[in-house]
Amino acid sequence: MTDTTLRTVVRRETHSPRTGAMLTVVILLLLALAYAGTEIVLAATGSAPLLIAPGAAFDALADPLGTFAPGAVIAAGIVLALVGLILVVLALKPGRLSRHEMEAGERAVVVDNGVVASALAQRLSADTGIARDDIVVGVAHRSVDVTVRPPLGIPVDAEAVRRSVETEIESYRLTPSVRTRVRIDRPKDGDDDGAARPAAAARPTGALPTTATTPATKEALR
């Protein structure tokens, strides 16, 4: 495949369409049109309006300051401007999947963030001798958060852990690049070291579950 084709494939695998936002906007527009059509039919048949008659609504839109209080008009304008800004951002900014691209020569390799987190945690466990269950790694689009919970009485050099994390991340050659944050969560003297930690409570925000790796991904992470 050519470079252009690889770029297209990688972008498709790392970005997501704004399908959810588009469907939300379409549904809201359909509801608004349905309501407007209902009010027009009620007005044409001489029935009472659900909320406001079409003629009164048009008069209010034509002269909002004469119908509503100035503060209400200003507040409505601000809300509409914010909604418009959000829609413009959603239209121009692509969505992202929880994946990164890895440099692998002429090949295109896309790896899930959960795979990167699992590989990094396993590497730290091998380097520090700390159990794999005591290392939590969360990989986001631009950052990697590492929390190490050494058992009571086991010394851990935070700077050495940070260097190990940065070296391992650099070896992956991820695109886009990520910044690393390392935290050593030392137990207090009064903590029961043998007590089990609930998995859900131990996982910080942004940590991803471990996923299965394919042989190609394992080879790329070595």
mmCIF file of all heavy atoms in Angstrom, residues 12 25 43 46 49 55 66 80 83-84 103-104 107 117 124 137 139 148 166 185 194 197 210-211:
data_model
loop_
_atom_site.group_PDB
_atom_site.id
_atom_site.type_symbol
_atom_site.label_atom_id
_atom_site.label_comp_id
_atom_site.label_asym_id
_atom_site.label_seq_id
_atom_site.Cartn_x
_atom_site.Cartn_y
_atom_site.Cartn_z
ATOM 1 N N ARG A 12 -8.648 6.227 9.840
ATOM 2 C CA ARG A 12 -9.962 5.592 10.010
ATOM 3 C C ARG A 12 -10.003 4.747 11.284
ATOM 4 O O ARG A 12 -11.037 4.657 11.948
ATOM 5 C CB ARG A 12 -10.281 4.730 8.795
ATOM 6 C CG ARG A 12 -11.676 4.107 8.847
ATOM 7 C CD ARG A 12 -11.931 3.193 7.669
ATOM 8 N NE ARG A 12 -11.820 3.905 6.409
ATOM 9 C CZ ARG A 12 -10.943 3.605 5.463
ATOM 10 N NH1 ARG A 12 -10.089 2.607 5.647
ATOM 11 N NH2 ARG A 12 -10.897 4.298 4.350
ATOM 12 N N VAL A 25 -28.820 15.854 16.836
ATOM 13 C CA VAL A 25 -29.279 17.080 16.182
ATOM 14 C C VAL A 25 -30.446 16.794 15.245
ATOM 15 O O VAL A 25 -31.443 17.533 15.212
ATOM 16 C CB VAL A 25 -28.114 17.735 15.419
ATOM 17 C CG1 VAL A 25 -28.613 18.911 14.591
ATOM 18 C CG2 VAL A 25 -27.043 18.212 16.390
ATOM 19 N N ALA A 43 -54.000 25.372 14.401
ATOM 20 C CA ALA A 43 -54.452 26.722 14.052
ATOM 21 C C ALA A 43 -55.371 26.697 12.839
ATOM 22 O O ALA A 43 -56.356 27.448 12.760
ATOM 23 C CB ALA A 43 -53.242 27.618 13.801
ATOM 24 N N GLY A 46 -58.824 25.573 13.836
ATOM 25 C CA GLY A 46 -59.483 26.380 14.845
ATOM 26 C C GLY A 46 -59.391 25.816 16.249
ATOM 27 O O GLY A 46 -60.122 26.269 17.147
ATOM 28 N N PRO A 49 -54.117 25.994 20.695
ATOM 29 C CA PRO A 49 -52.709 25.577 20.496
ATOM 30 C C PRO A 49 -52.189 24.776 21.691
ATOM 31 O O PRO A 49 -52.695 24.894 22.807
ATOM 32 C CB PRO A 49 -51.968 26.904 20.351
ATOM 33 C CG PRO A 49 -52.809 27.878 21.111
ATOM 34 C CD PRO A 49 -54.243 27.438 20.908
ATOM 35 N N GLY A 55 -49.229 32.376 14.712
ATOM 36 C CA GLY A 55 -49.214 33.821 14.504
ATOM 37 C C GLY A 55 -48.562 34.550 15.652
ATOM 38 O O GLY A 55 -47.747 35.471 15.453
ATOM 39 N N GLY A 66 -40.168 43.658 22.339
ATOM 40 C CA GLY A 66 -41.483 44.129 22.693
ATOM 41 C C GLY A 66 -42.339 43.063 23.344
ATOM 42 O O GLY A 66 -43.377 43.362 23.938
ATOM 43 N N LEU A 80 -28.280 30.299 22.586
ATOM 44 C CA LEU A 80 -28.237 29.935 21.176
ATOM 45 C C LEU A 80 -26.820 30.036 20.615
ATOM 46 O O LEU A 80 -26.393 29.199 19.803
ATOM 47 C CB LEU A 80 -29.189 30.819 20.372
ATOM 48 C CG LEU A 80 -30.688 30.587 20.618
ATOM 49 C CD1 LEU A 80 -31.514 31.584 19.826
ATOM 50 C CD2 LEU A 80 -31.082 29.159 20.260
ATOM 51 N N VAL A 83 -24.874 26.996 21.875
ATOM 52 C CA VAL A 83 -25.277 25.796 21.136
ATOM 53 C C VAL A 83 -24.671 25.798 19.735
ATOM 54 O O VAL A 83 -24.164 24.776 19.245
ATOM 55 C CB VAL A 83 -26.808 25.702 21.079
ATOM 56 C CG1 VAL A 83 -27.241 24.571 20.146
ATOM 57 C CG2 VAL A 83 -27.385 25.473 22.470
ATOM 58 N N GLY A 84 -24.703 26.941 19.072
ATOM 59 C CA GLY A 84 -24.099 27.037 17.749
ATOM 60 C C GLY A 84 -22.605 26.781 17.772
ATOM 61 O O GLY A 84 -22.067 26.094 16.888
ATOM 62 N N GLU A 103 4.991 3.546 15.405
ATOM 63 C CA GLU A 103 5.909 3.537 14.275
ATOM 64 C C GLU A 103 6.517 2.148 14.148
ATOM 65 O O GLU A 103 7.113 1.629 15.088
ATOM 66 C CB GLU A 103 7.008 4.587 14.468
ATOM 67 C CG GLU A 103 6.503 6.020 14.428
ATOM 68 C CD GLU A 103 7.635 7.018 14.512
ATOM 69 O OE1 GLU A 103 8.789 6.600 14.294
ATOM 70 O OE2 GLU A 103 7.376 8.191 14.808
ATOM 71 N N ALA A 104 6.349 1.550 12.989
ATOM 72 C CA ALA A 104 6.884 0.206 12.755
ATOM 73 C C ALA A 104 7.407 0.099 11.330
ATOM 74 O O ALA A 104 7.013 -0.778 10.561
ATOM 75 C CB ALA A 104 5.819 -0.850 13.020
ATOM 76 N N ARG A 107 5.236 -0.502 7.971
ATOM 77 C CA ARG A 107 3.940 -1.068 8.342
ATOM 78 C C ARG A 107 3.126 -0.058 9.140
ATOM 79 O O ARG A 107 3.669 0.807 9.806
ATOM 80 C CB ARG A 107 4.129 -2.342 9.167
ATOM 81 C CG ARG A 107 4.783 -3.479 8.391
ATOM 82 C CD ARG A 107 5.075 -4.635 9.322
ATOM 83 N NE ARG A 107 6.063 -4.265 10.337
ATOM 84 C CZ ARG A 107 6.466 -5.081 11.301
ATOM 85 N NH1 ARG A 107 5.941 -6.295 11.391
ATOM 86 N NH2 ARG A 107 7.364 -4.687 12.176
ATOM 87 N N ALA A 117 -1.405 0.001 28.072
ATOM 88 C CA ALA A 117 -1.422 0.043 29.530
ATOM 89 C C ALA A 117 -1.000 -1.289 30.114
ATOM 90 O O ALA A 117 -0.221 -1.347 31.079
ATOM 91 C CB ALA A 117 -2.827 0.425 30.021
ATOM 92 N N LEU A 124 6.822 -2.578 34.137
ATOM 93 C CA LEU A 124 7.135 -2.005 35.446
ATOM 94 C C LEU A 124 7.201 -3.080 36.523
ATOM 95 O O LEU A 124 8.042 -3.016 37.428
ATOM 96 C CB LEU A 124 6.089 -0.960 35.818
ATOM 97 C CG LEU A 124 6.208 0.399 35.141
ATOM 98 C CD1 LEU A 124 5.065 1.308 35.592
ATOM 99 C CD2 LEU A 124 7.540 1.046 35.473
ATOM 100 N N VAL A 137 -2.226 1.383 35.402
ATOM 101 C CA VAL A 137 -1.819 2.276 34.316
ATOM 102 C C VAL A 137 -3.054 2.700 33.536
ATOM 103 O O VAL A 137 -3.879 1.863 33.157
ATOM 104 C CB VAL A 137 -0.818 1.592 33.367
ATOM 105 C CG1 VAL A 137 -0.405 2.544 32.247
ATOM 106 C CG2 VAL A 137 0.407 1.113 34.140
ATOM 107 N N VAL A 139 -4.061 4.956 30.128
ATOM 108 C CA VAL A 139 -3.540 5.589 28.914
ATOM 109 C C VAL A 139 -4.660 6.392 28.270
ATOM 110 O O VAL A 139 -5.702 5.836 27.908
ATOM 111 C CB VAL A 139 -2.992 4.543 27.925
ATOM 112 C CG1 VAL A 139 -2.467 5.234 26.661
ATOM 113 C CG2 VAL A 139 -1.887 3.720 28.576
ATOM 114 N N VAL A 148 1.665 3.316 41.368
ATOM 115 C CA VAL A 148 2.342 2.145 41.925
ATOM 116 C C VAL A 148 2.013 2.075 43.412
ATOM 117 O O VAL A 148 2.210 3.053 44.139
ATOM 118 C CB VAL A 148 3.868 2.226 41.706
ATOM 119 C CG1 VAL A 148 4.562 1.010 42.300
ATOM 120 C CG2 VAL A 148 4.182 2.341 40.221
ATOM 121 N N GLU A 166 9.147 6.310 31.176
ATOM 122 C CA GLU A 166 9.462 7.131 30.008
ATOM 123 C C GLU A 166 10.244 6.342 28.965
ATOM 124 O O GLU A 166 10.001 6.489 27.757
ATOM 125 C CB GLU A 166 10.247 8.362 30.454
ATOM 126 C CG GLU A 166 9.419 9.345 31.287
ATOM 127 C CD GLU A 166 10.235 10.514 31.792
ATOM 128 O OE1 GLU A 166 11.476 10.472 31.619
ATOM 129 O OE2 GLU A 166 9.642 11.452 32.352
ATOM 130 N N ASP A 185 1.889 5.421 45.543
ATOM 131 C CA ASP A 185 0.871 5.408 46.601
ATOM 132 C C ASP A 185 1.346 4.459 47.703
ATOM 133 O O ASP A 185 1.057 3.261 47.691
ATOM 134 C CB ASP A 185 -0.468 4.959 46.023
ATOM 135 C CG ASP A 185 -1.599 5.103 47.035
ATOM 136 O OD1 ASP A 185 -1.350 5.686 48.101
ATOM 137 O OD2 ASP A 185 -2.717 4.640 46.753
ATOM 138 N N GLY A 194 -2.321 -7.167 53.982
ATOM 139 C CA GLY A 194 -2.879 -8.370 53.378
ATOM 140 C C GLY A 194 -4.311 -8.209 52.950
ATOM 141 O O GLY A 194 -4.908 -9.126 52.388
ATOM 142 N N ARG A 197 -7.861 -5.448 47.880
ATOM 143 C CA ARG A 197 -8.338 -4.161 47.380
ATOM 144 C C ARG A 197 -9.403 -4.406 46.331
ATOM 145 O O ARG A 197 -9.188 -5.158 45.391
ATOM 146 C CB ARG A 197 -7.202 -3.352 46.746
ATOM 147 C CG ARG A 197 -6.066 -3.031 47.698
ATOM 148 C CD ARG A 197 -5.094 -2.091 46.979
ATOM 149 N NE ARG A 197 -3.948 -1.809 47.812
ATOM 150 C CZ ARG A 197 -2.805 -2.461 47.729
ATOM 151 N NH1 ARG A 197 -2.692 -3.456 46.860
ATOM 152 N NH2 ARG A 197 -1.792 -2.158 48.507
ATOM 153 N N THR A 210 -7.561 -4.367 30.682
ATOM 154 C CA THR A 210 -6.615 -5.093 29.858
ATOM 155 C C THR A 210 -7.357 -5.815 28.763
ATOM 156 O O THR A 210 -8.366 -6.475 29.007
ATOM 157 C CB THR A 210 -5.830 -6.091 30.726
ATOM 158 O OG1 THR A 210 -5.188 -5.373 31.758
ATOM 159 C CG2 THR A 210 -4.809 -6.839 29.891
ATOM 160 N N THR A 211 -6.863 -5.712 27.553
ATOM 161 C CA THR A 211 -7.493 -6.387 26.438
ATOM 162 C C THR A 211 -6.538 -7.411 25.868
ATOM 163 O O THR A 211 -5.326 -7.366 26.105
ATOM 164 C CB THR A 211 -7.877 -5.384 25.340
ATOM 165 O OG1 THR A 211 -6.677 -4.715 24.900
ATOM 166 C CG2 THR A 211 -8.852 -4.355 25.856
#
